Amino acid sequence: MKHIRKVVIPVAGWGTRSLPATKNIPKEMLPIYNKPVIQYVVEEAQRADISDVIFVTNRDKNVIEDHFDHNLQLEDVLQRAGKLDKLREVQEVAEMVNILSVRQKRQLGLGHAVMCARKLVGDEPFAVMVGDDLMFSGVPGIGQLIEVAMAEKMPVIGVMEVPWDKVSRYGIIDGEEVAPGVYRVRDMVEKPKREDAPSRLAIVGRYILTPDIFDYLEKVTPGHGGEIQLTDALQAMAKERGMMAVRMAGMRFDAGDWAEFLSANIYFALQDESLRYELLGLLKNFVQFK
Ligand code: UTP
């Protein structure tokens, strides 16, 4: 399998769970401590040596592309004010990766969003990273999948163990463990009832796919609201062509879920020595009022 150069990051959803915060600001631009959600996702891709990011966007999401471009006026202000650390920080974000984008003109689901990137992906294996799913680990999350995809020459999806009472929120795989944490996928079910779930290995927002996924997506029958589910195409692909899953190491936060979004903020703020003790003091006050 060829080196993975490109990642598709769908960011065209409405973010309804995060309203009213997301009425005019994309969910992917909400801050986790001092960076927008999407910057953590792109940093993960960059750490895995992915150079080209393809955003699947909509008419209200230009600000996401702008974040990864130079803001020359701001850079000039920072330069003249002698704020050279900040200047370097904003310049680094602009230089991080090459940005391409394509519009998803109607929000018809994650599978449809991936399909919109078909022309830009071309004929090479590629990564997909969901734009509101945050992963933190020593080896970057998407890099863990690339290692297995290269070794097995097969598409690979990221999974994590979730508690049994949460399986109905996820796509769940049925797989055979062929090496520690590496599975050959036999089947998958979308949002099963607890008693019907074949495991508690949930599909999280990281994938290494081959271009034939687009043919499988073409064949997916649209479900509720005309949505084209990525899981339906993955299921067909797993059965016909074969697919691996990797139990990902590290922490994960779904930025579209308020409890996880807020805990990610606290987690990152606590990593900053200059803020940690003041923040802990304030949090202690809150906890006493419970
Ligand atoms: P989600 O289902 O978490 O996002 O999709 P959403 O639809 O924006 O949010 P809610 O559920 O209404 O709160 C996961 C990712 O896929 C993108 C979203 O932007 C998000 O980053 N997405 C989803 C698309 O790009 N297009 C779609 O049609 C749906």
Side-chain angles (χ1 to χ4, degrees):
M1 190 181 269
K2 272 197 256 170
H3 172 65
I4 306 292
R5 295 188 302 149
K6 297 180 182 174
V7 59
V8 174
I9 307 185
V11 292
W14 284 105
T16 53
R17 286 175 297 160
S18 309
L19 284 168
T22 46
K23 190 173 166 220
N24 284 300
I25 296 169
K27 168 170 65 174
E28 298 80 6
M29 287 303 290
L30 296 179
I32 301 279
Y33 179 35
N34 59 358
K35 298 182 215 170
V37 167
I38 192 68
Q39 188 174 330
Y40 292 91
V41 179
V42 171
E43 283 174 356
E44 181 188 325
Q46 186 197 26
R47 285 176 59 215
D49 288 331
I50 293 175
S51 54
D52 297 357
V53 169
I54 302 169
F55 285 127
V56 182
T57 68
N58 69 33
R59 53 185 297 129
D60 299 322
K61 304 251 180 169
N62 292 337
V63 67
I64 295 177
E65 288 155 77
D66 293 347
H67 184 71
F68 296 97
D69 195 354
H70 285 282
N71 178 337
L72 296 178
Q73 225 173 341
L74 172 66
E75 288 178 20
D76 189 42
V77 168
L78 293 173
Q79 178 84 54
R80 277 189 283 129
K83 296 186 173 171
L84 300 184
D85 284 356
K86 293 283 170 217
L87 174 63
R88 201 168 40 246
E89 233 177 305
V90 297
Q91 284 174 332
E92 272 171 15
V93 180
E95 299 293 339
M96 222 171 243
V97 283
N98 304 320
I99 299 292
L100 295 91
S101 76
V102 60
R103 292 276 179 104
Q104 184 187 28
K105 296 181 184 171
R106 296 176 69 205
Q107 277 52 65
L108 294 176
L110 185 58
H112 180 260
V114 172
M115 210 150 53
C116 292
R118 185 173 199 160
K119 279 222 173 91
L120 292 180
V121 166
D123 191 25
E124 60 184 289
F126 64 104
V128 174
M129 297 169 74
V130 168
D132 61 349
D133 226 342
L134 301 178
M135 306 265 178
F136 301 101
S137 51
V139 178
I142 196 70
Q144 298 171 30
L145 305 195
I146 291 175
E147 272 176 30
V148 176
M150 291 295 174
E152 302 287 336
K153 303 190 171 35
M154 266 209 233
V156 178
I157 59 177
V159 293
M160 277 187 164
E161 267 183 357
V162 295
W164 281 107
D165 61 350
K166 300 236 166 82
V167 290
S168 59
R169 294 188 190 177
Y170 293 91
I172 300 289
I173 67 153
D174 175 16
E176 177 196 352
E177 193 164 11
V178 292
V182 179
Y183 302 80
R184 190 173 301 279
V185 179
R186 281 190 288 250
D187 201 359
M188 54 185 79
V189 280
E190 186 62 21
K191 302 190 169 78
K193 282 194 210 137
R194 182 186 176 141
E195 54 276 23
D196 299 333
S199 73
R200 57 191 185 98
L201 291 169
I203 303 171
V204 292
R206 299 290 182 271
Y207 315 80
I208 301 297
L209 300 174
T210 43
D212 48 339
I213 189 67
F214 295 115
D215 299 330
Y216 288 99
L217 280 165
E218 293 275 356
K219 287 184 214 142
V220 168
T221 323
H224 179 68
E227 288 209 353
I228 295 176
Q229 302 292 351
L230 181 57
T231 310
D232 290 346
L234 293 174
Q235 186 185 31
M237 196 184 201
K239 284 188 169 166
E240 285 177 23
R241 173 205 206 287
M243 181 178 290
M244 308 300 287
V246 170
R247 192 172 66 230
M248 299 179 72
M251 293 175 76
R252 168 180 179 258
F253 302 97
D254 171 4
D257 174 280
W258 281 123
E260 293 192 27
F261 173 83
L262 293 169
S263 58
N265 265 286
I266 294 168
Y267 173 80
F268 279 100
L270 288 176
Q271 310 299 309
D272 183 341
E273 285 280 328
S274 66
L275 200 70
R276 181 184 302 164
Y277 299 102
E278 191 183 345
L279 178 61
L280 280 173
L282 290 168
L283 289 174
K284 244 190 259 164
N285 290 342
F286 294 150
V287 175
Q288 280 163 8
F289 285 115
K290 71 176 176 189

